[in-house]
Amino acid sequence: MALSIGIVGLPNVGKSTLFTALTRKGGLAANYPFATIDPNVGIVDVPDNRLQALADIVHPGRIVPATVEFVDIAGLVKGASEGEGLGNQFLANIRETDAICEVVRYFSDPDIIRHESSHDPQSDIDTIQTELVLADLGTIERAIPRLEKEVRRDKTAAPKVAVAKRLQAWLNDGHRAADLDMTDEERAAAHDLFLLTMKPILYVANIDEDALGEELPEIDGAMVVPISAKVESELIELDPEEAAEFLADLGLEQSGLATLAQAAYKLLGLQSYFTAGEMEVKAWTIPVGTKAPQAAGVIHSDFERGFIKAQVCSYDDYIALGGEQGCKNAGKLRMEGKEYVVQDGDVMHFMFNV
């Protein structure tokens, strides 16, 4: 699934350094505003220890993890909603992503320039939220006349106008659109407006090394992932054993980037099911709540069109019973039909007509 998360932030908060470490890709990281102009895109593996456990049983030729796409978007400045800096390009790029990962400067470094609109973490957060809210207000102001014209032709479109006006008032008070209490129907209408503040969001706190391991409170109900971009950029230069030792010395079980990839996967409302065989053990990405035929379609559209049933074993049973045959012997291998809602970690094999 080609779902993407836009990495945003004010200039010089460590955004491009984080992206370079995250994707092991040589994106430009420089100590001046707008070092990133065109968005860089990187595909990042989602760490999942379950894959290796499955591989230890079936001994596959390869292991294929789930992935998340990250997009490094130009640094935002105050006034972006009115075209300041690279504002128009920033807003266009973020509109194309599915969620937002906002990098916020918590580290202290007198050698790194702070942008004039950035004074502290909360100031950074407020600046970006203000620009996104203002951009959404502009979107709604343009949409309302169009929706009112639509209502004159089709009275059933009236709820769209009502929710647009509710959102306009809510945004005028400085709130994110996603935080407005809406019915399912209203939320669907709101999504049709393609508002930036309807996108799910998480925050990356770019912290000093000596603050690693500290827990940070949520920001406006959104998850905060503490990361030292400087440490992460050092980690990618080490081999796996050295990196593990380095993390242990810091008192960490895994890198901040691994935590971020996992958090981003959940932010997008995704989960994994597995296929396990001699050729490969693979994590397949599906939205939470996906039914078996649609899950099969992620592998190939023919699997969904010709779906008959799915052979399913839970991950825990698969590991505890030593694989498919053990599950079968213990009566834990189930046959599920078209209405089965796939669970995270299911080990599956599909039967279908060509």
Side-chain angles (χ1 to χ4, degrees), residues 68-349:
V68 174
E69 180 180 280
F70 282 90
V71 182
D72 182 23
I73 297 173
L76 181 69
V77 296
K78 187 175 181 180
S81 58
E82 299 174 355
E84 288 294 324
L86 298 169
N88 292 331
Q89 187 169 343
F90 169 90
L91 296 171
N93 290 335
I94 195 173
R95 204 176 296 281
E96 294 174 2
T97 64
D98 299 288
I100 299 171
C101 169
E102 181 177 336
V103 183
V104 182
R105 176 173 175 167
Y106 279 67
F107 67 89
S108 54
D109 188 337
D111 295 328
I112 300 293
I113 301 167
R114 254 198 191 277
H115 193 268
E116 60 182 8
S117 63
S118 175
H119 307 292
D120 54 57
Q122 190 59 53
S123 173
D124 289 2
I125 292 163
D126 291 345
T127 295
I128 287 189
Q129 175 157 317
T130 296
E131 295 306 321
L132 297 182
V133 165
L134 288 172
D136 282 349
L137 278 169
T139 298
I140 286 183
E141 286 167 4
R142 291 187 295 272
I144 287 176
R146 172 178 54 81
L147 292 172
E148 288 177 333
K149 186 175 181 180
E150 183 180 337
V151 169
R152 289 195 289 271
R153 296 192 309 268
D154 180 5
K155 299 299 183 185
T156 62
K160 295 181 181 180
V161 176
V163 75
K165 290 184 175 179
R166 281 192 68 207
L167 282 164
Q168 185 178 40
W170 181 254
L171 289 162
N172 264 319
D173 288 335
H175 304 300
R176 296 179 69 249
D179 296 333
L180 178 62
D181 186 19
M182 291 181 277
T183 65
D184 289 343
E185 291 77 12
E186 288 176 325
R187 197 161 290 275
H191 276 291
D192 290 342
L193 293 169
F194 303 104
L195 301 178
L196 299 174
T197 60
M198 279 297 293
K199 296 179 184 292
I201 188 169
L202 65 79
Y203 295 92
V204 169
N206 190 3
I207 60 176
D208 291 310
E209 180 178 335
D210 58 11
L212 285 169
E214 295 180 8
E215 288 191 18
L216 296 174
E218 291 185 347
I219 298 174
D220 297 329
M223 180 186 298
V224 179
V225 179
I227 288 179
S228 169
K230 183 178 179 182
V231 167
E232 299 298 329
S233 63
E234 293 173 3
L235 276 170
I236 63 170
E237 301 298 329
L238 305 176
D239 64 39
E241 287 187 7
E242 290 174 329
E245 289 179 11
F246 187 20
L247 287 170
D249 290 341
L250 294 171
L252 302 174
E253 293 183 2
Q254 66 177 8
S255 71
L257 298 183
T259 302
L260 175 58
Q262 292 162 342
Y265 198 65
K266 291 181 180 178
L267 180 69
L268 290 169
L270 303 176
Q271 65 181 17
S272 298
Y273 75 85
F274 304 114
T275 52
E278 291 183 2
M279 181 180 298
E280 66 180 16
V281 164
K282 184 167 182 175
W284 298 91
T285 299
I286 56 172
V288 173
T290 298
K291 292 185 178 181
Q294 289 68 50
V298 174
I299 299 177
H300 197 287
S301 57
D302 287 347
F303 284 25
E304 180 176 357
R305 282 195 296 269
F307 180 89
I308 300 173
K309 54 189 174 182
Q311 183 176 276
V312 184
C313 184
S314 74
Y315 168 81
D316 288 341
D317 286 339
Y318 196 95
I319 298 300
L321 298 170
E324 183 178 313
Q325 189 59 48
C327 289
K328 186 175 182 179
N329 293 342
K332 297 291 186 179
L333 194 65
R334 314 186 309 274
M335 302 305 296
E336 301 285 0
K338 293 182 178 180
E339 294 304 309
Y340 176 68
V341 177
V342 179
Q343 302 300 302
D344 183 55
D346 278 350
V347 184
M348 305 187 74
H349 178 75

